């Protein structure tokens, strides 16, 4: 605080106060004067003087004014500290939310394009929708293997920061820990750099050359500062965020096929892809609703076990390849990890054996061994997550999801579901939203849209037949809902 007279040689108090406000705006100023001139008072107030005191000064009045100035400063400091704490908490929460969104996208959870756009904007993720992006899977080398879990998390955080610093030269990036045991970086070219090379005839070569240069620099800096090496798998460029799940599965498959690769390597998927005479056909059972993730999420254990058995029955009756086994392995580990993480646990803590292919490559070479592990993992997850669910919210959610998945016809609505679980519709909607983060009405619509997607892809049913099967009376309304969810109407989706 500065207490100053107005009349002084060289510079008067008002000039002094004006200069203080310019240089040190946090300082409180009080003016003393023997002149009760209103013009002085007006200018002092305009300069935001804390107080304006006339001489002769009353001591008690002066001390009271100083005390008020001190209290004012304390209030400012407390407000600033509260703001800093809030900002730190927001940044921490933002990291968790970004990671959760990344996991949902790479594990293939169905989101409407509008919802994804809102999330990207809300979380301030710098990669633009529909932008061409590339995914980099990062495996830490053996130099990091001796770290305990907290230390390893710190190393992963440092690796992410180094990636952000290196790649941000010409790229927007989004990075986090992947659902599987690696780090994940999604990157797109910044508009200025993309425009500078976009018209070049060798655009793709220039883009790859720059990406490789940054990847090598990334490895070098990690080695220099963290004393360890990395193995990188770089996917093909893809439309963001629509093809993230496909890019992730492709990158993860290459990691596994190469045994994780030795640290110090950079593997490009476009270099490893081989021409194939006929396209590989997926096993329909893997993707047929209700999916394994949905069955685990709603704790329908017997149905989940039946789903697993159906998948392996299909394997036995088909001429499967090694890639088919990878496909089954990835879908099942995705489901197990998703449900474990949703319950606040790490899947490898429930059973580590199937989540480290560096120790047991036979898991993805033998369908019998893979089936044995999947069934065992399902039993362990059920044992870990199913204790005492009766009369709890989790049990109610489980009932609701079973009812919805069992019938998507005309009678399926929030009210009919509420009647069946003996709760008021408003209360049921409230607890469902609180437990899952999704409204019950949106969940019913999402299940209908996923079922519609499957029927359009896998059957020859007419649009009006699908409309009726899903409980919609008006095909136009069904088409409107489908387009809102997926960006295309049913006929356009079927024709593409």
């Amino acid at each position: 605080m500065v207490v100053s007279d107005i009349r002084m040689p060289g510079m008067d108090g008002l000039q002094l106060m004006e200069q203080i406000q310019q240089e040190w705006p946090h300082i409180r100023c009080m003016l003393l004067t023997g002149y009760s001139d209103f013009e002085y008072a007006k200018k002092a107030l305009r300069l935001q003087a804390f107080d304006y005191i006339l001489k002769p000064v009353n001591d008690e009045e002066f001390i009271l004014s100083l005390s008020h100035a001190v209290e004012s400063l304390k209030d400012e400091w407390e407000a600033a500290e509260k703001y800093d704490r809030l900002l730190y908490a927001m940044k921490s929460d933002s990291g968790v939310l970004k990671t959760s969104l990344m996991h949902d996208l790479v594990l293939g959870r169905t989101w409407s394009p509008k919802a994804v756009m809102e999330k990207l904007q809300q979380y301030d993720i710098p990669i633009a929708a529909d932008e061409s992006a590339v995914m980099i899977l990062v495996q830490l080398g053996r130099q990091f293997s001796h770290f305990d879990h907290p230390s390893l998390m710190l190393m992963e955080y440092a690796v992410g920061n180094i990636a952000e610093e290196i790649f941000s030269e010409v790229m927007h990036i989004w990075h986090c820990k992947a659902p599987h045991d690696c780090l994940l970086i999604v990157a797109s070219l910044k508009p200025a750099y993309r425009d500078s090379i976009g018209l070049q005839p060798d655009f793709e070569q220039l883009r790859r050359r720059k990406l490789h240069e940054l990847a090598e620099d990334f490895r070098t800096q990690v080695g220099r500062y963290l004393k360890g090496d990395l193995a990188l798998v770089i996917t093909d460029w893809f439309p963001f965020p629509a093809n993230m799940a496909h890019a992730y599965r492709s990158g993860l498959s290459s990691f596994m096929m190469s045994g994780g690769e030795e640290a110090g390597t950079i593997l490009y998927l476009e270099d490893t892809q081989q021409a194939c005479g006929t396209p590989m056909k997926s096993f329909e059972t893997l993707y047929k609703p209700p999916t394994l993730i949905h069955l685990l999420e709603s704790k329908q254990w017997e149905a989940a076990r039946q789903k697993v058995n159906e998948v392996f029955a299909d394997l036995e009756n088909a001429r499967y390849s090694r890639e088919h086994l990878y496909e089954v392995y990835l879908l099942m580990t995705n489901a197990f990890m998703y449900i474990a993480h949703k319950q606040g646990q790490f899947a490898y803590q429930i059973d580590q054996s199937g989540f480290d292919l560096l120790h047991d490559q036979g898991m993805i070479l033998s369908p019998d061994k893979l089936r044995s592990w999947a069934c065992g993992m399902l039993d362990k997850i059920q044992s870990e997550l199913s204790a005492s669910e009766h009369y709890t919210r989790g049990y109610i959610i489980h009932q609701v999801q079973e009812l919805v998945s069992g019938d998507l016809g005309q009678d399926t609505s929030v009210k009919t579901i509420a009647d069946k679980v003996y709760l008021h519709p408003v209360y049921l909607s409230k607890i469902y939203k609180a437990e899952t983060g999704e409204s019950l009405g949106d969940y019913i619509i999402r299940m209908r849209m996923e079922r519609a997607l499957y029927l359009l892809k896998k059957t020859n049913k007419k649009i009006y037949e699908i409309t009726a099967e899903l409980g919609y009376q008006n095909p136009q309304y069904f088409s409107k809902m489908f387009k809102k969810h997926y960006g295309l109407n049913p006929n356009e989706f079927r024709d593409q």
Side-chain angles (χ1 to χ4, degrees):
M1 293 184 294
V2 169
V3 181
S4 171
D5 207 330
I6 285 186
R7 291 247 173 175
M8 299 184 298
M11 178 186 292
D12 66 33
L14 292 173
Q15 292 171 325
L16 173 63
M17 180 180 168
E18 189 170 8
Q19 187 165 335
I20 287 173
Q21 290 300 314
Q22 291 175 356
E23 298 291 336
W24 306 283
H26 59 283
I27 290 179
R28 292 286 188 276
C29 293
M30 297 169 58
L31 291 175
L32 304 175
T33 180
Y35 303 93
S36 56
D37 189 328
F38 185 62
E39 288 303 318
Y40 280 130
K42 282 201 302 185
K43 188 168 183 182
L45 291 174
R46 193 164 59 247
L47 293 172
Q48 298 182 336
F50 185 79
D51 208 348
Y52 181 90
I53 302 174
L54 296 177
K55 296 178 182 179
V57 178
N58 178 283
D59 288 350
E60 291 184 3
E61 181 184 342
F62 179 61
I63 294 301
L64 182 62
S65 184
L66 284 176
S67 299
H68 288 164
V70 169
E71 291 302 319
S72 174
L73 284 171
K74 286 183 178 178
D75 289 344
E76 272 196 12
W77 294 339
E78 288 177 2
E81 186 178 352
K82 184 177 180 180
Y83 174 77
D84 288 340
R85 288 198 303 268
L86 181 62
L87 193 62
Y88 178 80
M90 286 177 61
K91 287 183 178 179
S92 300
D93 292 344
S94 174
V96 173
L97 293 171
K98 287 180 180 180
T99 298
S100 177
L101 177 60
M102 176 82 87
H103 287 191
D104 281 348
L105 292 174
V106 300
L107 292 178
R109 179 177 176 183
T110 305
W111 288 80
S112 69
K114 181 181 178 183
V116 175
M117 297 307 103
E118 289 175 352
K119 294 286 185 185
L120 293 174
Q121 185 175 9
Q122 183 181 351
Y123 300 160
D124 198 26
I125 293 169
I127 305 175
D130 299 324
E131 188 67 72
S132 183
V134 68
M135 187 178 291
I136 305 173
L137 286 78
V138 182
Q139 182 74 56
L140 272 61
R142 294 178 181 175
Q143 299 91 337
F144 300 99
S145 61
H146 66 281
F147 286 109
D148 58 21
H149 185 63
S151 300
L152 187 59
M153 288 180 66
L154 185 61
M155 287 294 110
E156 290 170 346
Y157 177 78
V159 169
N161 282 346
I162 291 174
E164 197 162 327
E165 183 174 337
I166 297 299
F167 287 94
S168 62
E169 175 189 347
V170 296
M171 290 182 166
H172 291 302
I173 76 163
W174 175 20
H175 64 87
C176 72
K177 179 71 182 256
H180 296 80
D181 191 25
C182 62
L183 302 178
L184 202 55
I185 299 170
V186 179
S188 70
L189 297 178
K190 289 182 175 179
Y193 181 75
R194 184 186 61 233
D195 293 344
S196 70
I197 66 171
L199 298 178
Q200 301 292 330
D202 55 347
F203 166 74
E204 291 185 0
Q205 290 85 348
L206 291 172
R207 183 175 63 177
R208 169 157 173 168
R209 190 182 309 153
K210 187 62 177 180
L211 179 60
H212 187 76
E213 175 188 318
L214 294 173
E216 287 285 11
D217 192 20
F218 175 40
R219 285 186 48 253
T220 300
Q221 298 304 326
V222 169
R224 177 179 300 167
Y225 293 108
L226 303 182
K227 311 303 179 187
D229 214 331
L230 307 172
L232 308 180
V233 168
I234 301 177
T235 70
D236 297 338
W237 291 80
F238 61 90
F240 174 87
N243 286 13
M244 284 185 65
H246 174 74
Y248 180 66
R249 287 196 300 269
S250 300
L252 199 59
S253 294
S254 292
F255 245 144
M256 294 173 179
M257 289 179 183
S258 61
E261 286 292 339
E262 290 297 321
T265 60
I266 300 177
L267 177 67
Y268 290 86
L269 290 193
E270 64 181 358
D271 295 340
T272 63
Q273 291 169 347
Q274 298 179 354
C276 183
T278 57
M280 181 179 290
K281 184 179 179 182
S282 252
F283 287 105
E284 180 181 336
T285 317
L286 280 171
Y287 306 100
K288 180 181 179 181
T291 62
L292 182 58
I293 282 182
H294 169 67
L295 294 173
L296 294 176
E297 193 174 21
S298 57
K299 296 180 174 59
Q300 300 179 57
W301 303 112
E302 288 307 315
R305 197 167 282 106
Q306 183 180 351
K307 182 84 171 180
V308 170
N309 289 331
E310 287 176 359
V311 169
F312 284 99
D314 280 358
L315 271 176
E316 291 174 0
N317 296 327
R319 295 180 60 188
Y320 63 85
S321 68
R322 185 178 178 186
E323 246 185 80
H324 280 113
L325 289 178
Y326 277 121
E327 184 179 10
V328 172
Y329 171 80
L330 289 175
L331 262 293
M332 292 193 173
T333 51
N334 284 348
F336 294 148
M337 284 185 167
Y338 175 78
I339 194 64
H341 293 174
K342 191 167 185 180
Q343 299 296 327
Q345 297 193 41
F346 287 104
Y348 73 83
Q349 292 174 327
I350 298 175
D351 180 4
Q352 189 175 7
S353 62
F355 294 92
D356 191 352
L357 294 180
L358 297 180
H359 289 118
D360 188 3
Q361 293 247 347
M363 183 70 66
I364 48 174
L365 299 177
S366 165
D368 291 336
K369 193 167 186 177
L370 183 56
R371 180 178 193 164
S372 176
W373 170 78
C375 292
M377 186 67 187
L378 186 57
D379 291 339
K380 290 178 181 179
I381 287 181
Q382 181 179 0
S383 176
E384 287 280 339
L385 306 182
S386 292
S388 302
E389 284 199 351
H390 288 283
Y391 311 110
T392 64
R393 286 186 172 188
Y395 179 66
I396 294 171
I397 302 305
H398 164 58
Q399 282 186 299
V400 168
Q401 291 177 336
E402 274 195 321
L403 289 168
V404 173
S405 64
D407 182 13
L408 291 171
Q410 289 185 356
D411 293 332
T412 302
S413 66
V414 174
K415 186 179 184 309
T416 58
I417 295 295
D419 290 343
K420 290 177 181 178
V421 296
Y422 308 104
L423 292 174
H424 192 281
V426 174
Y427 178 69
L428 176 60
S429 297
K430 182 178 179 181
I431 64 172
Y432 192 92
K433 175 81 171 181
E435 288 294 306
T436 67
E438 182 179 32
S439 74
L440 179 52
D442 288 345
Y443 175 74
I444 293 172
I445 291 172
R446 179 161 67 88
M447 290 297 100
R448 280 178 169 153
M449 292 301 104
E450 288 185 10
R451 179 65 181 171
L453 197 72
Y454 174 77
L455 292 173
L456 288 167
K457 289 173 65 175
K458 299 297 182 179
T459 73
N460 293 321
K461 290 185 177 182
K462 306 295 184 184
I463 302 299
Y464 70 85
E465 293 176 321
I466 296 175
T467 300
E469 183 174 331
L470 296 177
Y472 293 106
Q473 296 180 347
N474 188 330
Q476 286 75 27
Y477 179 74
F478 163 65
S479 296
K480 181 180 177 182
M481 293 296 295
F482 189 93
K483 185 169 184 178
K484 181 179 179 182
H485 207 75
Y486 293 112
L488 299 171
N489 65 41
N491 285 318
E492 290 171 341
F493 178 82
R494 181 168 268 177
D495 290 340
Q496 70 175 357

